[in-house]
Amino acid sequence: MELSKNYIPNEVEANWYEHWLNKGYFSSKPDDREAYTVVIPPPNVTGVLHMGHCLNNSIQDILIRRARMHGKNACWVPGTDHASIATEAKVVAMLRERGITKSSLSRDEFLGYAWEWKEKYGGIILQQLKKLGCSLDWDRTSFTMDPVYYQSVIKVFIDLYNKGMIYRGKRMINWDVRAKTALSDEEVIRKETNQKLYYLRYKIEGEDKYVIIATVRPETIMGDTAVCVHPKDERYFSLHGKKVIVPLIGRSIPIITDEYVAMDFGTGALKVTPAHDMNDYQLGEKHGLEVIDIFNDDGTLNAEAQICVGEERFAARKKIVQLLEESNFVEKTEDYTSEVGYSERTDVVVEPRLSLQWWVSMQNISEPALRAVMDDEIHFHPAKFKNLYRNWMENIRDWCISRQLTWGHRIPAYYAPDGRFAVAATKEEALQLLTTHYSPLTIDDIRQDDDVLDTWFSSWLWPFEVFKGLSDPGNAEIKYYYPTNTLVTAPEIIFFWVARMIMAGFEYMDEKPFKDVYFTGIVRDKLGRKMSKSLGNSPDLLGLIDQYGADAVRFGIMIASPAGNDILFDESALEQGRNFNNKLWNALKLIKMWEGRQSSVVSSELSVSTHHSPLSTHDFAISWFQHRLNQVKTEVDDMMVQFRLSEALKTIYSLVWDDFCSWYLEWVKPGFEQPINKAVYEKTVGYFEELMQLLHPFIPFITEEIYHLLKEQKDDLCIKQVEPLQSFNNEILGAGELLKQVISALRDARNKNQIKPKDPIKLHIQANEMSGYKAIENILTKQVNAESITYTSAIVPNTIVVAVEKDKFFIETEKQLDSDALKAELLKDLEHQQKFLETVIKKLSNERFVQNAKPEVVALEKKKQADAEARIRTIEESLQNL
């Protein structure tokens, strides 16, 4: 078949993905092979594919495809998360478009619409992952509200409650006024916010004096129940035990003392509003203060506020400030910047609120999870995240798990009319528990808690419940696939999800949930900004795939993504990926062109350990590339074990683009319209196949396509097993590197002196080790168009001198040389080498560098010094020669 000018991904990718699916390559069943298991971080059912998903899922697919090609039973489990807050917001918006309000619906009616929405939109992101080439076991697709999964979540709640680890209590929580639900601490994003600091006058009761209070929230003064000063603050000794009057509403409140107050902030006097500030609440408990809640659940002021009732909190702030100014209660205002908490889901300012909620006591359940990471039973990549994890775990707070929503796992608590409650799997079981110690009730007398569980309370079971570890304990799959191997996730959910999965794993499986955690970075734009729709800097990923192809997109995101570091995404990386694909395509076309021009002559067998006599061009090229390929395979294997995926891709990229395409193919390429040695052709095809296998986990589509176009294949590259690693010979590799350096230097010298490539030269070599050049003599002759090569121990006059490391090369040509131009070029090179040598000597003169640097780094710098000194001597000799 005739190959297209450039690679056209749209004609290839969909066909291969469908082929892989039809062959069942992604399906996994327990067998006698070693399992390699990855569970997808379940994307929200509200989600569509974006650059973060691209990075995360590309990494998982690379790991899974590589494991599959290494003979492991690779199982990558897909699925989605019900995402209570985000999904409910989507459903409410959908209903609004239909002219329906949530309040007009019963719970069951609303859930009917929610399921309708989920069925229509909930699986979009999973379908989009197919376009990216993700080799997921689609038969295993899970959802956190599947019936069996749902029952397991309820089972865990009941179990922890019966163990005394879940309790119900009224505590200060973070409140989302838009979603009208509680949030955990981890769901609050702290943002630097410009505010105003208001200095307000609180009149001292019975005196014509004032205490000045600084606050950024004047709308909360109606909830003030005390003013607090530091007991050692001399400014306020005379006020101890007195009272002040709250501005506007005239309530008398006490002045209390506590060391909590910072004497150097504001005026050193603090208004205490126990219902609307976390720290104030603790002060209120300590000092027995009254708690006055002035806000409704939507952030408007209630009747307790007495003024601005029904006003939204920030609108009320403006009006209250105006009232305070009109009544002469404002001393002054200042611009002020501080961190403010925002809802991670709705991006509204979080309101601290005292609320009756359900909690998980975290102290005991967290201890095994902390130990497992600190003792490297679970490995973090990069390891720097261990300290972040430890800090959070050692200061862990109880987890608020109830949410005031409809969509989600409903809390299995049932209430009698008098407020008594029982935790049970069903209403019938709850009725039995409630009537055991109290007067009889009927089923109609009790009602279930309206709240649902925090989304993370279901997803912390994910690594084992996708294999029914709780619903069918001891089944063959949980025994085979658990613990999973690698979790790929973002560091911002290290507490939301990673830590909690580890806790649940030890609590319910008595085993860690995974062996390794690979933390990706945040994908940012080239200006360093986090990608977002509001900034307009988040590209349409599906559009990029349509434009560049999935392989180019995967390449572009992976080439710049070291583990744990943020990625500065630039579309030029995708262009680099597309160019790389075209480079592979052009290499394929070149090799296919040779296919019909094979000579029957068979290449001689090589003795690869020594090269002390000239080898034929193709013999050396074949020998060198085989060892280079073996070397890179070893390096890549080591990098993959260490999760240095980006470095691995860069190493393979260099091997393909530079070593294979730029050097090897040039070295074995036959002359114009000449046949290629049959054995050389077959070796070249074999090398190209091995390169495609090495690249396949990173760019699966084009590699599979090229693999099949090279020759008729019995199997697919997707499942082709990797051969064991082979050794490589450093002597041959060194000869190859030397050859590349010499060819490049001689070509550069020809170009600078305007010697055309077709013009032959005579080459004279002055070197300490002549044998090394004799081994590559034939290929060097061809590559620099030398009609002869001789070896000399003296300077050859009237020649162009080229230095490579400590060796000298003299180019003799019939072309009349321009001595002045040669001298100018040599002087320029001399200046460059002298400056370089000064830099190296300065570094080696630094005692701190020599003492602290690794020995190999110091040795490299010393080699640089020796090479620079040798080149300088050569240039100076050349100048004398001129």
Side-chain angles (χ1 to χ4, degrees):
M1 64 176 288
E2 185 176 348
L3 298 176
S4 58
K5 180 182 178 181
N6 291 317
Y7 174 63
I8 306 173
N10 293 340
E11 296 180 0
V12 170
E13 295 179 349
N15 291 338
W16 275 120
Y17 198 88
E18 192 65 27
H19 173 78
W20 295 328
L21 285 181
N22 291 337
K23 288 286 189 178
Y25 292 150
F26 307 158
S27 296
S28 175
K29 295 288 185 291
D31 57 26
D32 57 357
R33 291 176 294 167
E34 178 186 349
Y36 184 86
T37 316
V38 174
V39 293
I40 195 171
N44 293 345
V45 287
T46 59
V48 293
L49 210 57
H50 56 64
M51 297 310 297
H53 291 125
C54 176
L55 173 63
N56 185 283
N57 288 283
S58 293
I59 291 169
Q60 291 175 82
D61 195 45
I62 290 164
L63 298 174
I64 279 289
R65 286 182 181 273
R66 183 174 181 273
R68 192 178 290 122
M69 297 171 82
H70 278 75
K72 295 178 182 178
N73 189 344
C75 179
W76 185 11
V77 181
T80 49
D81 188 278
H82 64 283
S84 294
I85 297 175
T87 303
E88 187 150 322
K90 291 280 187 181
V91 176
V92 169
M94 177 189 75
L95 291 172
R96 191 182 302 120
E97 290 176 0
R98 299 182 187 181
I100 304 170
T101 61
K102 181 186 175 185
S103 60
S104 68
L105 301 173
S106 68
R107 186 184 194 95
D108 289 341
E109 286 172 336
F110 179 81
L111 287 175
Y113 284 114
W115 279 106
E116 173 193 327
W117 191 94
K118 185 266 176 187
E119 292 305 317
K120 186 174 181 179
Y121 302 107
I124 288 176
I125 195 169
L126 296 183
Q127 294 304 312
Q128 291 174 341
L129 288 173
K130 293 178 180 179
K131 289 201 71 173
L132 194 60
C134 296
S135 56
L136 290 141
D137 186 348
W138 297 107
D139 295 334
R140 295 182 175 276
T141 304
S142 295
F143 177 48
T144 51
M145 280 180 57
D146 285 338
V148 173
Y149 198 108
Y150 193 113
Q151 292 306 314
S152 294
V153 174
I154 301 305
K155 181 179 181 180
V156 166
F157 183 98
I158 295 169
D159 177 67
L160 292 177
Y161 177 80
N162 290 333
K163 290 176 178 175
M165 297 167 69
I166 282 182
Y167 63 93
R168 188 168 181 249
K170 194 170 188 179
R171 295 176 54 181
M172 186 64 70
I173 50 94
N174 303 295
W175 184 260
D176 185 323
V177 300
R178 179 173 295 169
K180 299 179 185 177
T181 181
L183 303 171
S184 68
D185 290 341
E186 293 74 39
E187 291 170 302
V188 177
I189 307 300
R190 312 298 299 184
K191 298 182 185 180
E192 283 284 332
T193 306
N194 294 325
Q195 302 180 80
K196 289 284 187 183
L197 190 60
Y198 299 90
Y199 289 79
L200 306 180
R201 298 189 183 102
Y202 283 57
K203 188 175 185 301
I204 300 170
E205 189 175 57
E207 299 181 22
D208 194 21
K209 294 180 181 179
Y210 293 87
V211 175
I212 308 300
I213 310 291
T215 180
V216 294
R217 302 194 67 199
E219 71 276 14
T220 64
I221 63 172
M222 297 82 76
D224 288 354
T225 56
V227 166
C228 189
V229 295
H230 196 284
K232 295 182 180 178
D233 193 334
E234 296 178 356
R235 294 172 294 177
Y236 300 115
F237 281 171
S238 63
L239 299 182
H240 291 188
K242 293 185 178 181
K243 293 184 177 182
V244 295
I245 307 299
V246 178
L248 299 181
I249 60 170
R251 183 169 58 248
S252 175
I253 58 175
I255 297 174
I256 61 173
T257 62
D258 197 286
E259 292 184 350
Y260 165 75
V261 177
M263 289 188 284
D264 57 352
F265 175 77
T267 63
L270 175 76
K271 65 191 270 322
V272 183
T273 315
H276 301 293
D277 183 273
M278 298 285 186
N279 298 313
D280 288 9
Y281 176 69
Q282 293 175 5
L283 272 175
E285 279 197 318
K286 182 177 179 181
H287 295 274
L289 299 178
E290 182 183 5
V291 178
I292 303 174
D293 186 349
I294 64 169
F295 287 122
N296 296 311
D297 60 5
D298 62 354
T300 58
L301 273 66
N302 62 27
E304 291 287 342
Q306 301 181 44
I307 56 176
C308 295
V309 175
E311 293 280 352
E312 189 274 332
R313 55 188 170 154
F314 295 120
R317 176 181 296 179
K318 293 180 180 178
K319 290 185 177 181
I320 288 168
V321 168
Q322 184 177 353
L323 290 172
L324 289 166
E325 288 175 338
E326 290 171 355
S327 302
N328 200 31
F329 285 120
V330 179
E331 177 81 6
K332 64 177 180 176
T333 61
E334 290 178 354
D335 290 332
Y336 181 66
T337 302
S338 67
E339 284 194 340
V340 174
Y342 285 77
S343 169
E344 190 249 354
R345 295 296 183 191
T346 63
D347 200 38
V348 299
V349 175
V350 167
E351 189 64 46
R353 190 180 191 197
L354 192 62
S355 181
L356 184 62
Q357 302 286 342
W358 290 92
W359 305 81
V360 177
S361 176
M362 300 296 283
Q363 196 62 47
N364 293 332
I365 201 172
S366 66
E367 290 175 2
L370 174 60
R371 260 194 324 270
V373 173
M374 290 302 103
D375 294 344
D376 288 326
E377 185 180 351
I378 296 172
H379 295 274
F380 279 6
H381 307 273
K384 66 180 182 181
F385 288 107
K386 285 175 64 176
N387 288 332
L388 180 68
Y389 179 86
R390 179 179 61 190
N391 182 61
W392 185 76
M393 294 289 278
E394 288 179 345
N395 297 281
I396 199 164
R397 297 181 181 180
D398 287 356
W399 175 15
C400 177
I401 57 170
S402 46
R403 299 291 181 267
Q404 289 64 55
L405 300 164
T406 306
W407 174 250
H409 304 81
R410 194 171 179 182
I411 290 176
Y414 297 84
Y415 299 86
D418 61 2
R420 289 179 288 118
F421 68 87
V423 170
T426 66
K427 200 171 188 180
E428 289 73 19
E429 291 178 20
L431 178 64
Q432 187 175 356
L433 289 170
L434 285 168
T435 55
T436 300
H437 303 292
Y438 301 94
S439 58
L441 297 167
T442 68
I443 200 78
D444 294 330
D445 291 328
I446 62 175
R447 62 173 183 85
Q448 187 174 355
D449 199 309
D450 287 326
D451 290 353
V452 298
L453 289 162
D454 177 17
T455 295
W456 301 102
F457 192 85
S458 54
S459 58
W460 74 330
L461 313 181
W462 189 252
F464 53 82
E465 193 48 31
V466 293
F467 301 112
K468 296 182 171 50
L470 273 177
S471 51
D472 184 15
N475 73 79
E477 293 211 337
I478 191 68
K479 289 180 179 178
Y480 183 73
Y481 292 115
Y482 190 90
T484 66
N485 292 76
T486 307
L487 175 73
V488 180
T489 190
E492 59 259 34
I493 58 173
I494 190 171
F495 314 128
F496 282 122
W497 194 44
V498 178
R500 289 169 181 163
M501 281 191 291
I502 299 172
M503 295 177 204
F506 281 109
E507 183 70 20
Y508 288 103
M509 295 291 109
D510 200 26
E511 172 68 284
K512 59 182 179 287
F514 27 71
K515 299 167 187 172
D516 293 282
V517 182
Y518 180 104
F519 290 106
T520 66
I522 297 171
V523 182
R524 301 182 181 275
D525 66 15
K526 56 186 177 183
L527 299 177
R529 301 175 302 176
K530 188 173 181 179
M531 287 185 170
S532 70
K533 290 180 182 177
S534 60
L535 287 175
N537 63 347
S538 183
D540 174 8
L541 181 55
L542 293 178
L544 293 178
I545 291 175
D546 288 339
Q547 182 180 354
Y548 294 95
D551 285 329
V553 171
R554 289 168 63 126
F555 177 96
I557 199 75
M558 287 305 305
I559 203 73
S561 58
N565 291 331
D566 290 354
I567 297 93
L568 297 181
F569 175 76
D570 191 332
E571 202 167 319
S572 62
L574 275 58
E575 294 172 7
Q576 183 185 4
R578 180 167 59 188
N579 292 340
F580 184 48
N581 286 341
N582 284 326
K583 186 79 169 179
L584 296 173
W585 196 249
N586 289 331
L588 170 67
K589 290 198 293 183
L590 177 65
I591 293 170
K592 293 299 286 184
M593 186 175 68
W594 296 343
E595 187 176 23
R597 293 165 43 192
Q598 298 178 54
S599 164
S600 59
V601 178
V602 178
S603 176
S604 60
E605 290 294 321
L606 298 175
S607 173
V608 295
S609 59
T610 58
H611 285 287
H612 298 302
S613 59
L615 294 170
S616 68
T617 299
H618 52 253
D619 278 356
F620 178 81
I622 288 170
S623 175
W624 167 74
F625 192 75
Q626 181 65 68
H627 288 273
R628 180 71 182 123
L629 182 59
N630 293 345
Q631 180 187 38
V632 168
K633 284 182 177 179
T634 302
E635 291 174 355
V636 167
D637 192 68
D638 182 59
M639 291 173 186
M640 295 298 287
V641 169
Q642 298 178 51
F643 291 89
R644 291 155 53 201
L645 276 65
S646 183
E647 291 178 59
L649 178 57
K650 289 175 184 175
T651 301
I652 301 170
Y653 172 80
S654 177
L655 172 71
V656 174
W657 190 290
D658 299 327
D659 295 323
F660 185 71
C661 294
S662 298
W663 293 110
Y664 172 78
L665 291 181
E666 284 296 313
W667 291 352
V668 301
K669 182 170 69 176
F672 182 66
E673 292 188 348
Q674 291 181 351
I676 188 168
N677 181 288
K678 180 178 177 61
V680 172
Y681 174 78
E682 290 175 351
K683 273 287 188 184
T684 301
V685 169
Y687 289 154
F688 208 177
E689 287 179 347
E690 289 188 72
L691 291 173
M692 294 304 96
Q693 190 175 30
L694 198 55
L695 269 171
H696 180 76
F698 297 90
I699 49 175
F701 293 112
I702 190 173
T703 50
E704 187 79 80
E705 178 78 356
I706 289 176
Y707 177 73
H708 284 277
L709 288 174
L710 277 169
K711 68 179 186 184
E712 187 176 344
Q713 304 286 2
K714 295 179 181 179
D715 53 10
D716 289 324
L717 184 60
C718 181
I719 56 166
K720 184 178 175 65
Q721 298 300 288
V722 172
E723 297 293 330
L725 293 175
Q726 298 178 16
S727 61
F728 50 89
N729 185 294
N730 285 316
E731 183 182 352
I732 298 171
L733 291 172
E737 288 304 308
L738 177 63
L739 178 59
K740 289 192 291 182
Q741 286 185 57
V742 172
I743 291 171
S744 297
L746 294 177
R747 285 176 174 172
D748 186 50
R750 289 182 66 125
N751 183 53
K752 287 179 179 178
N753 290 279
Q754 300 180 341
I755 303 172
K756 296 177 181 178
K758 66 179 181 180
D759 293 341
I761 61 170
K762 292 179 181 179
L763 185 63
H764 308 274
I765 302 175
Q766 184 186 84
N768 293 329
E769 293 291 335
M770 299 296 187
S771 60
Y773 290 103
K774 287 178 180 178
I776 58 176
E777 187 177 298
N778 286 330
I779 200 166
L780 182 58
T781 300
K782 174 187 172 184
Q783 292 291 297
V784 300
N785 193 15
E787 61 183 19
S788 66
I789 292 181
T790 59
Y791 298 91
T792 180
S793 58
I795 293 174
V796 181
N798 301 316
T799 57
I800 300 166
V801 184
V802 177
V804 176
E805 295 185 356
K806 297 179 181 180
D807 300 333
K808 300 168 193 169
F809 298 83
F810 304 94
I811 299 175
E812 183 180 347
T813 176
E814 294 181 359
K815 183 178 188 278
Q816 185 67 35
L817 298 178
D818 184 341
S819 298
D820 291 338
L822 279 174
K823 183 176 180 181
E825 190 66 36
L826 286 168
L827 287 171
K828 181 180 177 182
D829 194 16
L830 178 63
E831 183 182 5
H832 170 76
Q833 293 296 336
Q834 287 172 335
K835 287 182 178 178
F836 175 76
L837 179 60
E838 287 175 12
T839 303
V840 176
I841 290 174
K842 184 177 181 181
K843 186 179 286 187
L844 288 171
S845 301
N846 186 332
E847 291 184 10
R848 183 177 296 177
F849 167 76
V850 175
Q851 290 173 357
N852 297 331
K854 294 181 180 179
E856 57 267 30
V857 173
V858 176
L860 178 62
E861 293 300 318
K862 288 181 178 178
K863 183 179 184 303
K864 288 179 183 178
Q865 179 183 357
D867 290 345
E869 289 169 345
R871 282 194 290 271
I872 288 170
R873 285 194 298 271
T874 299
I875 294 169
E876 290 172 343
E877 289 171 2
S878 300
L879 285 168
Q880 290 175 2
N881 187 31
L882 283 172

